[in-house]
Each structure stands twice: as C-alpha cells, then as structure tokens.
C-alpha cells in the first residue's frame, strides 16, 4: 500500500521506508512524519516507530527522525510547489491527493478575525492511505434492507476513526447502484441511483471529477464540495434515490440531511462515535436520531478479515437498544 504515495515522498525518506520488511510495507495504512521526531507507521495491527535501518521499534529513542529540510521538501511535494493554490486545504488541516489519500498536517495556525486562515511552519504530516476493498459491505448490506420498500433503510454508520467507515460506504455505493443486494428476498430488485457527497475526495477518489474507485454504474459524485451544500446541489440536479455522505457533525449537515429525507431520499451517513449511546451524546447526531432521519444505526469496528457490524433500530426520541436486545434483522453480527 505504501507504493501508492511514494511519489510524494523525498528520496531520503523512501530509502528508509524501503528497508521495512516487505510484509509490513504492503499493509501500512498510516505514515506519520514529524520534524525532528520519530518516524511512525500504522497498520491494522498497531503502530511502530521506524529505525533508519527499517527496523520496527516499540520505543522511540532509536527511531529515524526526519530533518527540517526533509519536511520542507515533503510540503513542497504534497502542495505541488504552490502553497497559495492549496490555501483552502491548508486551512482545513488536510490535503487530499489523487487516489483518495488524505494527508493531515499540523503546525502554527494563521488567524484572521479570530478564525483559522491557514497553517504555516508545517512540522507534522499524517498520510492516511486509502484502499478499495470490493465486498467490504457484503455482510452489512443484507442487514440494511427495507424488504417492504425494496430498498435500503436510511442509516447512520458510526465507529471511532480508522475502523473502516469510508471503505464500507464506498462499497455500499457500488453494491446499491449495481443492484448487488446480497439477499435472497431482494433477487430482482432494481439498482438505485446513488449520489455521493465527497467533501474530502476520499470515497470516490475523483480525478478531474471522475471516480477512480469503483462506486458503481449508477452513482454520481459531488467532489470536493462542502457536505451541506453538496447534498442540496445533488438533490436538485441529479435526483438520487440514495445519498451517501461521510463524517457528518455540523448543524448545517443535519439541516441538509433532514431536507433530503423529507424529499424522499434515503440518506446513509457516517459519523465518529463508539456506539449509539455515545452518538446520542453529540447534539447534531441526537437531533437527527430524534427527528427520524435514520431508521437504523450501524455500529462498526475493524475485524480480522472484514469490518464487523451490529445493526440496531433507531427509536426516534428514545435510546438505542442495549446489546442484549434484538437487532432489526435476525442473524446480524454482534460484538462486545
């Protein structure tokens, strides 16, 4: 997986990373580069510091430490030698590059009128390497089906960071828009028109507006567009039957989701939370749950070979069922 972003890295850093054992190098999901501090990598099994010889270390003392010059070169590469052109991305704290890979950045912020205008003196980078997993939603989609209406339920998919939310919703888009429902009762159901609002360009990984990941034959993508505005544009222009949006959390997101649901569009959204109880502790998510924007909640976590999900019905104005209560669809995966 690391080879997907090596074209952005300075040669001296590539030399260190190429010394990492190949069985680890191919499963790297995060690469953390901090000026004058230990180089760190992350896989599905955990995080390690990296020595100059490529050795994986539990402690940081002997790790390779990127120099200020290396970090300067890296910033020039990820911004294509134009900080000005990337001003909006820098203001948000991340840059998304071709392939859907997101590079988080940290440094000294520039304030204007009390708001962040950008980041200067960038001293830390977090490469999150995107991956496409066809079939990632295969076990989940059958549990999301609305058998009576021959489609999917509107759903809120929740999980902490790095548990596979984006990978799953990408595969949901592909399956729904191709009619791959994965359930015997859904045999012969038509595929649905899907609209993806891809604010961070991570779900579809568009290049010049064209998806590079397989998001299905009947899917339209509003790329690099703020979620709330993008949902309304998609609703007006592309008449989606199902709308997918990643990492909601602002009041304007909730307004747009409610508008879409009142217009008969099924919304599948993701958000950061450990479980439904924690989701209800976030004001924006609680509002959506209480006003009936979602029929089901999906608690997601990383599994050994694929994400593991637990589907629970949403009770508008109430609480999510406890783990011992029945899920909406018999046979759903449970975890604890």
């Amino acid at each position: 997986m690391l080879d997907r972003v090596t074209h952005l890295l300075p040669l001296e850093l590539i030399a260190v990373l190429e010394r990492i054992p190949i069985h680890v190098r191919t499963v790297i999901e995060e690469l953390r580069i901090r000026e004058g501090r230990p180089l760190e990598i992350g896989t599905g099994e955990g995080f390690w510091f990296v020595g100059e010889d490529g050795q994986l270390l539990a402690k940081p003392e002997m790790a390779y430490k990127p120099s200020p010059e290396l970090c300067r070169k890296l910033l020039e590469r990820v911004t294509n030698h134009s900080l000005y052109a990337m001003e909006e991305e820098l203001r948000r704290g991340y840059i998304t590059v071709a392939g859907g890979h997101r590079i988080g950045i940290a440094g000294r912020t520039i304030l204007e009128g009390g708001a962040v205008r950008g980041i200067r003196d960038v001293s830390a980078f977090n490469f999150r390497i995107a991956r496409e997993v066809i079939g990632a939603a295969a076990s989940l989609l059958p549990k999301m089906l609305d058998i009576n209406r021959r489609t999917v339920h509107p759903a809120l998919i929740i999980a902490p960071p790095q548990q596979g939310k984006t990978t799953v919703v990408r595969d949901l888009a592909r399956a729904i828009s191709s009619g791959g429902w994965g359930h015997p009762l859904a045999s012969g159901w038509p595929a649905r028109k899907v609209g993806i609002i891809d604010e961070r360009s991570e779900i579809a990984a568009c290049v010049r507006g064209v998806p590079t990941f397989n998001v299905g034959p009947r899917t339209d993508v509003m790329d690099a567009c703020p979620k709330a505005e993008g949902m309304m544009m998609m609703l007006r222009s592309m008449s989606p039957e199902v709308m997918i949006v990643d990492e909601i959390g602002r009041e304007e997101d909730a307004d747009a989701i409610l508008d879409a649901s009142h217009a008969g569009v099924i919304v599948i959204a993701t958000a950061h939370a450990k479980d439904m109880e924690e989701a209800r502790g976030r004001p924006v998510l609680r509002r959506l749950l209480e006003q009936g924007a979602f029929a089901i909640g999906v608690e997601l976590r990383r599994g050994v070979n694929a994400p593991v999900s637990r589907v629970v019905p949403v009770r508008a104005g109430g609480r999510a069922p406890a783990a011992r209560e029945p899920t909406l669809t018999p046979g759903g995966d449970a975890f604890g």
Side-chain angles (χ1 to χ4, degrees):
M1 292 175 64
L2 189 59
D3 60 355
R4 300 175 189 177
V5 297
T6 50
H7 64 286
L8 297 170
L9 307 178
L11 292 176
E12 51 265 56
L13 181 57
I14 294 174
V16 173
L17 295 171
E18 285 183 341
R19 300 182 187 119
I20 296 173
I22 190 167
H23 70 277
V24 176
R25 212 163 60 232
T26 55
V27 294
I28 291 176
E29 297 177 1
E30 273 199 5
L31 173 63
R32 291 180 174 265
I33 303 155
R34 303 175 176 101
E35 181 181 318
R37 289 166 291 165
L39 179 66
E40 187 179 18
I41 62 167
T43 73
E45 297 182 357
F47 287 83
W48 292 271
F49 297 108
V50 181
E52 190 165 359
D53 59 358
Q55 183 179 356
L56 303 185
L57 307 168
K59 296 183 179 180
E61 288 78 13
M62 301 301 294
Y64 172 76
K65 297 178 177 62
S67 67
E69 176 65 13
L70 184 148
C71 290
R72 183 187 63 78
K73 291 179 183 177
L74 180 58
L75 182 62
E76 289 178 351
R77 283 174 174 266
V78 300
T79 60
N80 199 24
H81 302 275
S82 178
L83 288 173
Y84 176 78
M86 305 296 288
E87 184 176 348
E88 177 62 23
E89 288 86 348
L90 292 171
R91 184 185 68 81
R92 294 184 297 188
Y94 64 87
I95 298 168
T96 305
V97 297
H101 314 297
R102 188 165 73 179
I103 306 168
I105 57 175
R108 182 183 177 187
T109 59
I110 304 170
L111 300 180
E112 187 175 273
V116 174
R117 185 171 65 84
I119 298 179
R120 60 179 298 180
D121 301 328
V122 175
S123 61
F125 305 81
N126 177 25
F127 282 69
R128 293 181 60 182
I129 303 173
R131 58 182 183 139
E132 182 177 43
V133 183
I134 301 296
S139 65
L140 172 60
L141 182 54
K143 297 183 289 183
M144 295 176 60
L145 299 185
D146 184 338
I147 300 298
N148 293 329
R149 297 179 180 175
R150 295 163 58 90
T151 186
V152 290
H153 285 291
L156 176 65
I157 300 175
I158 56 173
Q162 288 189 281
Q163 297 299 305
K165 295 187 298 296
T166 302
T167 303
V168 165
V169 295
R170 181 187 302 126
D171 199 53
L172 283 173
R174 179 196 61 80
I176 294 168
S177 76
S178 60
W181 302 105
H183 194 293
L185 294 179
S187 177
W189 285 11
R192 299 294 179 177
K193 293 179 293 181
V194 176
I196 294 176
I197 315 304
D198 200 1
E199 181 172 359
R200 296 176 175 86
S201 302
E202 290 183 301
I203 302 175
C206 288
V207 175
R208 298 183 182 90
V210 179
T212 60
F213 285 147
N214 182 357
V215 291
R218 304 193 70 206
T219 297
D220 302 300
V221 182
M222 199 68 73
D223 183 50
C225 182
K227 285 186 280 288
E229 186 175 357
M231 280 187 272
M232 293 299 95
M233 291 172 66
M234 183 68 75
L235 187 63
R236 289 192 297 264
S237 63
M238 304 306 292
S239 64
E241 296 170 284
V242 178
M243 197 179 298
I244 291 177
V245 59
D246 210 7
E247 296 186 16
I248 62 170
R250 297 173 297 187
E251 285 292 344
E252 53 264 38
D253 298 342
D255 291 340
I257 289 171
L258 289 169
D259 282 347
S261 63
H262 293 157
V265 177
I266 295 164
V267 178
I268 299 173
T270 74
H272 287 149
K274 181 180 67 175
D275 52 30
M276 290 299 291
E277 182 179 357
E278 187 170 287
R280 288 187 182 276
R282 297 182 59 184
V284 169
L285 300 184
R286 182 172 64 247
R287 176 188 168 200
L288 288 169
L289 293 167
E290 290 181 346
Q291 295 190 28
F294 305 109
I296 59 174
V298 179
E299 297 172 353
L300 197 70
R301 70 167 172 84
R302 182 190 291 271
V304 176
N305 298 312
V308 179
S309 59
R310 175 175 177 264
V311 178
V312 295
V314 171
R315 299 173 180 174
R319 62 177 182 85
R324 64 180 179 275
E325 296 182 50
T327 57
L328 187 67
T329 305
D333 296 328
F335 56 83

